[in-house]
Amino acid sequence: MNESTPTPEPHSGQGMDYSEIADVQDVHAAVQREKREPRVGREPLSIWLIAVYGLAVFFGGAYLGRYSGNFSGEALDPYGGEMPTMKKVTGPQGAQQAAELSPHDRGKKIFAANCQTCHQANGLGVAGQYPPLAGSEFTTGGSQRPAMIVMKGLQGPVTVKGQKFGAAVMQPWDKTLTDQKIADVLTYERSEWGNNASPVTAEQIAALRKELANHPNSFTEPDILAVPAEEDLPGGAPAGGAPPKPGEAAKPGEPPKPKG
Amino acid sequence: MNPAGIPLKEPSVSAAAGDTEQLERALIDASTRVPVLIFYTSAVAWLILGTLLAGFVSFKLHTPDLLSDISFLTWGRVRPAHMNVMVYGWASMAGMGTAIWLMARLCRTVLRYPLLLVAGAGFWNLGVFLGVGGILLGDSTGYQWLEFPSYAAIILFVAYALVASWAVLMFRFRRGEQIYISQWYLLGAFLWFPWLYAAGQLMLFVVPVQGVLQAAVGWWYANNLLFLWFGAIGLGTAYYMIPKVIGRPVYSYHLAAIGFWSYALFSSWTGMQRLVDGPFPAWMVTASIAATILTLIPVATVGLNHHMTMQGYFPLMRYSPTLRFTVFGAMSYTVFSLVGVVISLRSVAGYVNFTEASIAYSHLGLYAFFTMVIFGSMYYIVPRLIGREWRYGSLIKLHFWASAYGIGLMTLMLLAGGFLQGASMENPSLAFSESVESVLPYLRGRSLAGILLTVSHFIFAYHFGLMLFGLGRKSTVPTFLNPVEAEGAEAHI
Amino acid sequence: MKGLAPLFLGIFGTFAFSWVGLTVIPNWQIGHLNPQSDEDGTDIYPMPQSGMVQWGARVYAANGCIYCHSEQVRAEYAGADIDRKWGDRRSAPRDYIFERPVLLGKMRMGQDLANIGARAPAEQESPSPGGGGNPAGSPSGAAQSPSPSAAQPKAQGAQSPGATAAPQQQPAASPATSPAASPTSPASKPAPIARAGTGIASPSPGVAAAAAGAASPGAPPLAGPPWPEQTAGLPPMYSAAWHHVHLYSPRSINFDSNMPSYRFLYQARRISDVHSSDALRLTGSDAPPEGWEIIPTYDAKCLVAYMMALNQSHPLKEVKSAGSASAVSPAASPSAAPGGQPPPK
């Protein structure tokens, strides 16, 4: 009954129902003709196979040793090359950049880190919430007004370029930013996005800081408007437009205005 | 070649070894019928869906305007849907079905607590359904191989917990003191999968790791799934089917043991080689590449073991569907591993990284190896559950050749295309679109291979459906692929 | 094997070994990185994504962009990425510390996108004449048309080739707005590009520049870097407007492209009295019929915001920038890098 007949016949009749195994004799044919369950032999390992193992371990190990960059978390380079240090010099501008960044560029970084969230990278602010700086009469007029705003903040309704703002409050920055930084960011704002107003120096801000030392936080619009629009901070750089961008010659400026 | 002329090294090992043994096996088979058939039926349904999705994926890649305006059919969603249906729908469920039957047989005990398995299958299907639906509707998580949104992933985990607890219970109540090779692999698979899945979900979604480590965890998970879940089930199944069908013992216990432990040790360290040259510490990538080289050890071992077991019995592949599919799968395991080693070496990886070659690798593993082995096991197991034989030997043959040629063509197309794509990408004087142009004809070739595979799967599904509805052949003789000529043939399959 | 215990221990041990080795140890090494900042604390890189950019990352992940696009730049010795100008330097772990999910990608059927935001035109910095924040009070110069005007539909949308000869004085219509116009994306850049109208005898770039520049009232025309070469009818490469057109109809930009179109991210809307500044400028068979316009959905805007924010060009201390390789040639820079660099390959 375990012989296999040639060429299986096509299925025809119904035959037994194998869904019940009540009858021990009705074990179906597939199980009957099966061979016994698998078992394992005991042949010994071949020496050639051990040689293959040795080769694999050797190559794998050599690979691991050679290309692991000392297993350091910082070695992204498998050849374990020298860790490159950040170079300030890149290309022809190397000499320039090895020196200080210009106030404009420093101010740009400060702006990006502190002001951009509200006033946006393009200086246009957000309608109804944050006033624009591009083309704003507060930013581009005399330097006194914007410096006061940056130093002590601003709250309450204010109209800029014909639009009303007032929902948001601007924080004071005198405690967070140094004089140099405030000067740089003002310089940047006053020369970016088409603005073309005089730069601001750290000394001017220092003087202003002394002046405002006892002033409570936050100006309001009337406070700012009380200052003449074209009033510059005393002691500033010659008025004469935006500071030179890197590479350009400095423009000759006007003689300083008399202190008014 | 006349199988009657093949000498057996031992006395006849027909089932006349004992009526009680026959009865025991029959009872075991009967007890596994419902759960295993539920898993198999679900798996075949997902296979068909996954194959249709695969058609979309393949065709849309070179014909992008095909149905492109429908949001749930956009390529970027259909591709992960296809992958997840195949991985979690077809492969996992078919693998579990086979593993359940094997565990029952090898533990030599009737399947207990079938409700655990039935509930597990139900939840698993639900999870896959919700997950795939979620992906198509735009909830994909963005992690490869883990795209299921969390509402599906948790259901999958619950489903799996049910299946895993069943496996542990079966193991607890096993009879006989020896633990056969397949049981090592299967126990490993049943334990590794939940740990893997839990680790992946935890480290990516619950307590997410920072930055690029997410990609590292993701690919650690994916490769380990491929090897420790699918590979383990595949190898365990091959270790059962091959000696079982030909009636000879496995060649060497020592080889099997070395093979198992080296497999577990080394293949679990692979995965990072897919991130070669990425923003990672170099040692991680190199460790994985070294581990991939070291997986040549289990590959050589297992390959040798199977080969020596089959020595002299290769002609039986002409007749037995199970043997043919299983040996094809086992040989593909070797090919898959070799391809894996080659494309992970840094010098080669520079060319094939970011190309279609990695798709070829995945499909070699999941289809040429795992799926073919599972097909073989299904051809063996289903008659024992239903009590009928497969109806048409010709359909099985067609299935085999369509699958074999399909995956072979696909692998060739993608590897060749991938190399060309990489070579173009590495040449900065060529515009980037050149690299895409260079691979396009191969993608069309892959679509052709996909048609072959689609035909093959529909044939299989139809054939399986016939069996399910009790329309199989009623016979004492199995369905052979080719007519067996002589009487006295030892091809008791 | 006889015992269950050794088997179980071995199964557990091998798994634990790989888990610790490949996930836990790297987590110790690179799992808790902080952004890099200079001494002042002003130059922090990278910054966490927020708002529309973060949502855009989700849209990117959900629509499977990672299956064709990668977001990692390989080192010079490893690939041609830097030669292809896909980045100044290779990507490092620190670039991704704020990304969730991290979208490194594994395939390149499309370009690498790690620095796609950096490849946006430099004009992205200039003020946007259009968009939600449009100051209503801008005086109308002859050369500008920031507020929607009735003549705009002729400059965009429906193409009547016969209208090319029409004596349209207004130059570019307002550009498709990038998400920067929405207040919630501080990191994204505006897209102020004034575009030459399709089919219209295009105004010279100078006029276009004037239009953009004149939008901020009172400011003189911008004398910035030269405008990019524009193919007639297309927004400048990698600007937000370009991204929208590319998503809507990739093959209108690159005929060989294999990218599927993402029209479901856009809506067609009947033009009411004002032409939306968001509207895509489409040509040929992609263009909507007369009286309709295509506008991006919120998902599309977020996706483009995300892409405009993809920028790894900031130098990192731990990674050599490609630019510094050129400093090795002594003629270029007087101050050669100290400590020597590996010779460029």
Side-chain angles (χ1 to χ4, degrees), chain C residues 230-250:
Chain C
Q230 298 191 57
T231 320
L234 282 183
M237 288 274 281
Y238 307 130
S239 61
W242 183 92
H243 280 299
H244 281 296
V245 175
H246 188 237
L247 283 169
Y248 187 82
S249 173

Side-chain angles (χ1 to χ4, degrees), chain C residues 36-84:
Chain C
Q36 166 185 287
S37 66
D38 62 5
E39 326 70 58
D40 290 341
T42 52
D43 181 18
I44 304 179
Y45 173 79
M47 298 279 254
Q49 302 166 345
S50 61
M52 291 179 79
V53 173
Q54 203 167 25
W55 186 258
R58 281 210 52 200
V59 175
Y60 185 95
N63 282 296
C65 307
I66 55 164
Y67 300 106
C68 280
H69 289 282
S70 62
E71 280 181 23
Q72 42 174 305
V73 179
R74 292 182 289 182
E76 282 161 316
Y77 56 79
D81 299 5
I82 296 183
D83 290 327
R84 286 189 181 278

